[in-house]
Amino acid sequence: MSTDRADPIRVLFAAPAGAWETYREALPRAFDAAGLDVELSRDIPPEAADYLVVTPKGPIRDFSPFTRARAVLNLWAGVEALVDNPTLTQPLVRMIDPGLTQGMVEWVTGHALRHHLNTDLHVTGQDGIWRSHVPPLAQDRPVTVLGLGELGAACAQALAALGFPVTGWSRGAKAIDGIRCLHGSAGLETALRGAQIVILLLPLTRLTHNLLNATRLAWLPKGAVVINPGRGPLIDDDALLAALDAGLGHATLDVFRTEPLPPDHPFWAHPKVTVTPHIASETRALSAARAVAANIARAEAGDRMDGLVDRDRGY
Ligand code: NDP
């Protein structure tokens, strides 16, 4: 793509040092491939930066000196740590990365299949006892995915392709091939009451905070499994522990209110909880660099960027 600019586009990389090592080669390659003339640096004066590439853990807290910046591009899908920053008035873009999506599909299907097949019974029970448990077919195991965005829709479709009857729930009405799509509070109750496996792929916002509280956990059938790769505060921790003690089957949790999860947190010791350390999926440098370059190319051409965050909705 050619632009009319005489000067290069100045992109400030404002993420922690480890991320720079990951992206310092991938980003220039992606900019070249997109035909963009870009100066990429960790050291561009605020008033000269055209775009900012950030992570929520990056060094910038005050975005007000970046008066020229046309967008702030987050390397993460979740924006809850950025969206309420009053100094961040530039367009904010979250990460939509095919590599991140693929990783999430693999993690979610893997953990859903673990519970569906009850693989633990045989993996941990190599003790000479012939346990002839035959799992049901996927078609007899209803799954609900809360959140039908980039990640939720891909996971829902992968699970449906394996034969699970999948219900999805989102904020607005949706139509996705092979998925029963529900929305709104009545839709949530229906989605939870019928689910044997529930997967949370919602963003953390004012409306989704503690979404799975005691009342809604009680809508789940006895023995149901909760899988949360979304965000920790989507679930009320105490209500979850009480629900597990009252008959909920299991909770596989990748995200927590405090990360790393403190060693004395009851989740670690609970026999019905599996803790994974926020590894469900991560942004992959090569495909993410291409996504950043494509968005800058769109902005330079005056087109709408992919993944533009709606400040009022918070995602
Ligand atoms: P998207 O923004 O693409 O999708 C969000 C989905 O949630 C949409 O379907 C949206 O509905 C729905 N939603 C939002 N608010 C509500 C609400 N109040 N009620 C009902 N539905 C709601 O996000 P992604 O799919 O890209 O990512 C989802 C989350 O996954 C991220 O925000 C992040 O927290 C988490 N994540 C976790 C990772 C990990 O390793 N554990 C890695 C990457 C992301 P609608 O379609 O109607 O707008």
Side-chain angles (χ1 to χ4, degrees):
M1 200 198 88
S2 62
T3 65
D4 300 335
R5 308 172 62 116
D7 298 331
I9 302 164
R10 295 201 176 83
V11 177
L12 175 66
F13 191 86
W20 176 242
E21 290 314 311
T22 308
Y23 285 92
R24 64 187 302 171
E25 291 179 5
L27 277 170
R29 264 196 239 119
F31 292 140
D32 282 352
L36 295 169
D37 178 16
V38 170
E39 176 191 337
L40 173 72
S41 170
R42 287 196 293 172
D43 190 19
I44 292 173
E47 62 286 357
D50 294 305
Y51 297 90
L52 277 65
V53 174
V54 304
T55 67
K57 291 183 176 165
I60 301 177
R61 291 288 168 268
D62 179 6
F63 289 85
S64 50
F66 297 91
T67 46
R68 179 189 168 101
R70 300 190 60 185
V72 174
L73 298 117
N74 188 25
L75 289 173
W76 292 18
V79 291
E80 72 277 3
L82 292 166
V83 75
D84 290 330
N85 183 331
T87 69
L88 204 172
T89 53
Q90 302 85 348
L92 173 62
V93 181
R94 70 193 177 80
M95 178 52 67
I96 298 178
D97 162 28
L100 171 76
T101 303
Q102 176 64 22
M104 187 59 81
V105 166
E106 292 177 12
W107 188 90
V108 164
T109 48
H111 284 276
L113 284 172
R114 169 192 172 202
H115 294 296
H116 168 61
L117 299 173
N118 196 4
T119 47
D120 289 14
L121 186 67
H122 305 292
V123 172
T124 58
Q126 300 286 304
D127 51 6
I129 298 173
W130 189 260
R131 294 180 178 87
S132 56
H133 155 84
V134 179
L137 292 176
Q139 68 199 35
D140 299 318
R141 179 89 67 191
V143 174
T144 284
V145 181
L146 303 181
L148 285 175
E150 207 58 35
L151 303 177
C155 292
Q157 285 179 307
L159 290 163
L162 287 171
F164 292 101
V166 180
T167 297
W169 182 72
S170 56
R171 185 175 180 277
K174 275 205 172 350
I176 302 176
D177 272 357
I179 311 296
R180 178 173 70 145
C181 294
L182 302 175
H183 67 282
S185 45
L188 180 59
E189 182 165 355
T190 306
L192 291 178
R193 284 199 186 278
Q196 288 183 21
I197 299 177
V198 182
I199 295 149
L200 285 89
L201 275 166
L202 294 159
L204 181 59
T205 68
R206 280 178 287 278
L207 292 179
T208 62
H209 191 265
N210 277 342
L211 184 99
L212 272 198
N213 57 18
T215 304
R216 291 172 181 144
L217 284 163
W219 291 341
L220 289 167
K222 199 169 161 46
V225 168
V226 173
I227 300 179
N228 184 16
R231 283 291 182 262
L234 297 174
I235 306 180
D236 177 332
D237 290 358
D238 292 337
L240 177 64
L241 288 164
L244 287 163
D245 292 338
L248 195 67
H250 197 93
T252 293
L253 309 172
D254 185 57
V255 282
F256 305 92
R257 284 186 155 68
T258 305
E259 294 182 5
L261 185 67
D264 59 350
H265 194 286
F267 284 158
W268 283 113
H270 199 289
K272 288 183 170 180
V273 176
T274 299
V275 171
T276 64
H278 201 147
I279 44 79
S281 190
E282 66 173 13
T283 310
R284 314 287 154 149
L286 286 183
S287 46
R290 285 197 285 267
V292 168
N295 259 338
I296 291 179
R298 282 186 197 102
E300 290 295 301
D303 295 333
R304 187 181 162 84
M305 289 174 282
D306 260 4
L308 211 49
V309 171
D310 179 324
R311 301 302 172 90
D312 294 334
R313 290 182 181 181
Y315 67 97

